[in-house]
Amino acid sequence: MRKKKEKSRKASSAPRRTNSIVIQSFDETPNRFKSKLDPINHLELRDNFLERGQIPQFQIRASHNQRARHIDIKFDLLPEAVAVLEKVCSMFGSGDVFLKKTFGDKITVDEATDKVKGYLYENNCNNQVKICWSKDLLCSGKMCWHGPCIQANRPEARTFNLLLQNSKENMFLSEHGIICLADHEIGTHYLRMYNDGLQPWFSQRQQFGIGRLRSKKLLETEEGLATINTMLKAKHQLLWKPALLYYTACKSLEMSFQQLYDHLGTYVRDSNYRWKLVMRVKRVLDNVNDVGGYGKDQCYFTGAVQLLRNIDETDFVLLYSGRISVEELPRIRRLARMNCIKLPTFLQDVGKYKQNLWNIAVVNNLVSKDKLPSKRAKLKKINISVNIPSAKKYSKSCQPSKKTVRTFCNRIAPQSSSIMSPIPYSPHKWMLSKRPRSCPNTFEKSKEKPQPLWKC
């Protein structure tokens, strides 16, 4: 009996394939999926802080140069972030109520897996992405890819893994939230990663004048685009979470770990979520009681505001050609291979997609209603009518047949001609250049034939 139980446990941990989609579950996230900025034993440190009040001392594998890469914190968009937070508090009372009403009730892991599988089939990604559930994942979701080195330039040999947090702390593990998370991870990160492998600059970005994959501009465009795509199908399209991340980074320069944790209680009641916010900012410090923090999480709100304030000037289809920033769009316009890329379903209608972005910008007070694009008046199609002299003036011998008159009318004013036609049709130009042989001639023919000049 013991042997049978051991076999059953091993089989449950092994990956299972359902309809060409591989699904795995981990109690502990593998090291290949972890970042060097992830603290070691963060679950134990969280329990000690919440239950005993013990201030944590984080240990991370990142070097000092990697810690200082995004140490600078900006205050440019602090008024916009505070306005979003105050609007959520005035409408819902707290961020916890906002999340519940925005993403719906909680669902099980099996129900969430079925919805993610349906999303993959809908976007034709079922044979390329693996779904991995992990209990100790720091974030709600994460997209990773592995394969040969970039210089090998073999995109077909790459494997993609969608990591999802399997715990009650995952705010997107809900009825509508799982689809919003799929728009973030699959509809944005995965498709841009996949399309980037098909472009000529994939293995030689510097030779084409394109920035590095870890550049700050690319990070803002990548996460900003994913942020606004997350709110496309949400019931309330307020950018509360990215605004809170931006606000937390700004307040870290004034407060210690404990002070910042207590201060965020005005916007969030959930103690676990507040711990995660403060941990993400203070994890790079040797002593968390010092002021300062990690400003990388500001890219979510910064990139979203940049895109929402330049909707008409941004080519979103070209932006999906690869992992590129907004500033690099003019450079790659003639280089990008657009006939082989994949686009998400919500970008099939670009006009409708931009209209949704305008709604998000107005709801978050990022654009005034006066600057919204006016609805263009639809022009009515007006058929061109041409008066043709009647055939009664001519004798029966010169009178054209009905078929000739019908073809003549269609050639002058075809049925499909209208003001909306992209190539305007000029009947006068045709009449001067060509005329059917059977067309009647109103001028009398001269009886004497003209003589050549050399006989005169």
Side-chain angles (χ1 to χ4, degrees):
M1 294 297 292
R2 293 181 180 178
K3 293 183 179 179
K4 292 183 179 180
K5 290 182 179 180
E6 291 177 358
K7 289 182 180 180
S8 63
R9 290 176 183 175
K10 291 181 181 179
S12 62
S13 61
R16 56 191 178 93
R17 185 181 298 270
T18 58
N19 297 331
S20 71
I21 296 179
V22 179
I23 302 172
Q24 294 180 341
S25 58
F26 304 105
D27 294 335
E28 184 179 355
T29 307
N31 292 329
R32 67 180 183 274
F33 298 135
K34 289 183 179 180
S35 174
K36 293 183 178 181
L37 293 171
D38 295 344
I40 301 174
N41 298 329
H42 69 94
L43 295 178
E44 297 180 3
L45 298 176
R46 182 197 63 182
D47 296 338
N48 293 333
F49 175 79
L50 297 179
E51 297 176 2
R52 305 172 186 175
Q54 183 178 354
I55 302 298
Q57 294 296 330
F58 299 112
Q59 297 180 3
I60 57 178
R61 297 177 296 169
S63 61
H64 290 281
N65 295 331
Q66 293 175 344
R67 297 181 185 185
R69 183 176 297 169
H70 298 278
I71 201 70
D72 56 331
I73 297 174
K74 296 183 179 180
F75 292 83
D76 302 339
L77 301 176
L78 183 59
E80 288 84 349
V82 173
V84 174
L85 297 178
E86 294 296 335
K87 188 174 183 179
V88 171
C89 289
S90 61
M91 293 177 60
F92 302 95
S94 65
D96 308 82
V97 181
F98 165 76
L99 293 176
K100 185 176 181 180
K101 291 187 177 181
T102 302
F103 300 126
D105 299 331
K106 293 290 183 178
I107 59 177
T108 61
V109 175
D110 295 336
E111 294 175 352
T113 302
D114 294 337
K115 290 192 175 185
V116 174
K117 285 165 52 180
Y119 189 92
L120 290 173
Y121 278 108
E122 185 180 359
N123 290 269
N124 195 18
C125 309
N126 53 323
N127 296 326
Q128 300 158 355
V129 180
K130 298 179 182 179
I131 303 174
C132 304
W133 292 94
S134 179
K135 294 182 179 180
D136 65 337
L137 191 66
L138 281 176
C139 53
S140 301
K142 187 177 182 181
M143 180 63 68
C144 303
W145 72 272
H146 296 276
C149 60
I150 296 180
Q151 286 73 17
N153 198 8
R154 293 179 57 198
E156 71 279 358
R158 295 188 297 171
T159 58
F160 296 89
N161 297 274
L162 174 61
L163 273 75
L164 300 173
Q165 186 182 19
N166 184 7
S167 64
K168 297 180 180 179
E169 302 173 6
N170 190 352
M171 67 176 66
F172 294 100
L173 194 60
S174 54
E175 185 178 0
H176 305 288
I178 192 63
I179 300 299
C180 296
L181 183 61
D183 287 337
H184 184 109
E185 300 295 339
I186 303 173
T188 307
H189 292 322
Y190 164 70
L191 290 179
R192 278 168 58 91
M193 288 179 185
Y194 176 84
N195 295 334
D196 191 70
L198 305 176
Q199 302 302 332
W201 62 76
F202 175 68
S203 59
Q204 42 189 2
R205 297 176 69 91
Q206 295 181 358
Q207 296 183 7
F208 286 91
I210 302 175
R212 297 181 179 179
L213 292 173
R214 297 182 180 180
S215 63
K216 192 171 184 180
K217 292 183 179 179
L218 176 59
L219 183 65
E220 290 179 353
T221 302
E222 183 79 19
E223 298 299 343
L225 182 63
T227 299
I228 59 179
N229 290 340
T230 306
M231 308 308 298
L232 289 175
K233 300 175 184 177
K235 289 187 176 181
H236 303 282
Q237 297 178 332
L238 289 169
L239 301 175
W240 176 80
K241 182 181 177 181
L244 186 59
L245 292 173
Y246 192 95
Y247 178 81
T248 304
C250 295
K251 289 299 179 180
S252 66
L253 296 176
E254 306 173 2
M255 304 177 183
S256 62
F257 190 95
Q258 184 68 46
Q259 293 174 352
L260 185 59
Y261 175 84
D262 297 336
H263 175 72
L264 293 179
T266 56
Y267 302 107
V268 189
R269 299 174 184 174
D270 189 3
S271 58
N272 292 325
Y273 189 66
R274 275 189 289 162
W275 154 266
K276 186 184 295 185
L277 291 171
V278 182
M279 180 268 298
R280 290 175 65 93
V281 177
K282 295 288 186 179
R283 56 184 170 176
V284 297
L285 301 179
D286 296 332
N287 186 5
V288 295
N289 291 323
D290 297 338
V291 295
Y294 194 56
K296 182 180 179 181
D297 289 340
Q298 286 187 325
C299 66
Y300 294 90
F301 192 71
T302 304
V305 173
Q306 181 184 4
L307 290 172
L308 291 175
R309 286 179 174 175
N310 299 277
I311 297 175
D312 288 340
E313 293 79 9
T314 305
D315 189 351
F316 290 95
V317 177
L318 184 62
L319 196 61
Y320 264 84
S321 62
R323 301 184 68 183
I324 53 176
S325 61
V326 177
E327 293 78 8
E328 296 168 347
L329 288 178
R331 181 179 295 274
I332 59 101
R333 189 175 298 277
R334 296 183 179 181
L335 300 174
R337 299 168 181 168
M338 304 299 295
N339 56 347
C340 58
I341 65 173
K342 289 184 178 182
L343 294 176
T345 54
F346 55 78
L347 198 59
Q348 300 297 331
D349 189 352
V350 181
K352 184 178 179 181
Y353 176 76
K354 287 187 176 182
Q355 186 63 37
N356 292 333
L357 297 190
W358 280 114
N359 295 336
I360 296 175
V362 172
V363 168
N364 292 273
N365 299 325
L366 300 177
V367 178
S368 60
K369 294 183 179 180
D370 300 335
K371 295 183 179 181
L372 289 177
S374 58
K375 295 182 179 180
R376 299 176 181 177
K378 296 182 179 179
L379 298 176
K380 296 182 179 180
K381 294 185 178 181
I382 304 175
N383 295 327
I384 301 175
S385 59
V386 179
N387 294 327
I388 301 174
S390 60
K392 294 181 179 179
K393 298 181 181 180
Y394 311 106
S395 60
K396 295 182 179 180
S397 59
C398 298
Q399 184 176 356
S401 62
K402 295 182 180 180
K403 183 177 180 181
T404 305
V405 175
R406 192 182 300 109
T407 56
F408 179 71
C409 296
N410 292 337
R411 294 187 68 174
I412 293 180
Q415 297 179 359
S416 60
S417 64
S418 62
I419 293 178
M420 300 296 292
S421 178
I423 303 177
Y425 187 83
S426 177
H428 304 287
K429 184 177 180 181
W430 176 86
M431 292 175 68
L432 294 175
S433 59
K434 295 181 180 180
R435 188 171 56 183
R437 297 179 180 178
S438 59
C439 180
N441 190 358
T442 57
F443 301 99
E444 296 181 358
K445 296 182 181 181
S446 59
K447 297 180 180 179
E448 298 181 357
K449 296 182 180 181
Q451 297 181 357
L453 296 177
W454 59 273
K455 287 186 177 182
C456 296

